[in-house]
């Protein structure tokens, strides 16, 4: 049996991705994280904006526009980029059972440490 027979087809071309149900503040379930402690998703002028906060300097990563995605069973996802003084980060996120799962691909600019991948889980705070 093919995956499409179980889970449905790819979304139609005119599908509108509604992020309204996932807007708000999300908190990392890993209390010892060294990366994103929490983030907010808001909507401004039809754009979805992420504001991330870290446990380390810089603590406030600021805002960036996210690119929203939807899968064949209408689960949400997004990708975002942050360009910080010491690290470039690419975030790839997907919803799973009411949690955001974020895979962060981190490239350190000083070259003193290897590129790093971490995956962490976020639950709704509000």
């Amino acid at each position: 049996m093919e995956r499409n027979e179980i889970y449905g087809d790819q979304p139609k071309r005119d599908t509108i991705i509604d992020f309204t149900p996932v807007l708000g503040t999300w908190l990392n379930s890993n209390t010892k994280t060294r990366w994103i402690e929490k983030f907010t998703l808001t909507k401004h002028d039809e754009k979805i904006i992420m504001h991330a906060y870290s446990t380390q300097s810089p603590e406030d990563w600021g805002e960036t526009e996210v690119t929203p995605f939807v899968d064949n069973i209408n689960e949400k996802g997004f990708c975002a980029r942050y360009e910080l003084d010491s690290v470039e980060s690419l975030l790839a996120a997907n919803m799973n059972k009411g949690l955001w799962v974020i895979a962060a691909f981190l490239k350190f600019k000083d070259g003193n440490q290897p590129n790093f991948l971490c995956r962490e889980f976020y639950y709704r705070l509000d």
Side-chain angles (χ1 to χ4, degrees), residues 11 15-18 70-76:
T15 297
I16 296 172
I17 303 173
D18 180 13
V70 64
D71 70 8
N72 56 351
I73 58 172
N74 204 34
E75 289 288 343
K76 309 296 186 268

Side-chain angles (χ1 to χ4, degrees), residues 87-104:
V87 66
E88 297 173 21
S89 68
L90 169 63
L91 309 176
N94 67 286
M95 285 294 292
N96 188 348
K97 299 181 181 180
L99 300 173
W100 278 114
V101 182
I102 297 182

Side-chain angles (χ1 to χ4, degrees), residues 1-122:
M1 189 175 305
E2 290 185 30
R3 179 176 168 91
N4 286 352
E5 292 174 319
I6 298 170
Y7 297 107
D9 293 325
Q10 183 175 341
K12 299 200 180 340
R13 182 179 299 265
D14 60 349
T15 297
I16 296 172
I17 303 173
D18 180 13
F19 255 55
T20 305
V22 297
L23 298 179
T25 302
W26 296 83
L27 190 64
N28 195 325
S29 63
N30 175 8
T31 59
K32 295 180 182 179
T33 185
R34 293 182 50 219
W35 301 105
I36 297 173
E37 176 180 40
K38 71 177 179 178
F39 68 92
T40 59
L41 291 175
T42 56
K43 188 173 183 179
H44 298 285
D45 299 324
E46 301 305 312
K47 296 179 181 178
I48 305 301
I49 305 298
M50 177 183 194
H51 194 139
Y53 302 88
S54 176
T55 60
Q56 297 186 19
S57 181
E59 291 178 0
D60 186 345
W61 284 18
E63 294 183 343
T64 191
E65 183 179 354
V66 306
T67 302
F69 296 88
V70 64
D71 70 8
N72 56 351
I73 58 172
N74 204 34
E75 289 288 343
K76 309 296 186 268
F78 68 83
C79 67
R81 289 186 181 273
Y82 277 94
E83 182 78 31
L84 306 173
D85 288 339
S86 61
V87 66
E88 297 173 21
S89 68
L90 169 63
L91 309 176
N94 67 286
M95 285 294 292
N96 188 348
K97 299 181 181 180
L99 300 173
W100 278 114
V101 182
I102 297 182
F105 300 86
L106 305 161
K107 180 179 178 184
F108 298 95
K109 295 179 180 178
D110 63 10
N112 291 332
Q113 53 189 318
N115 295 338
F116 183 68
L117 162 67
C118 68
R119 185 176 62 195
E120 296 184 307
F121 303 83
Y122 298 81

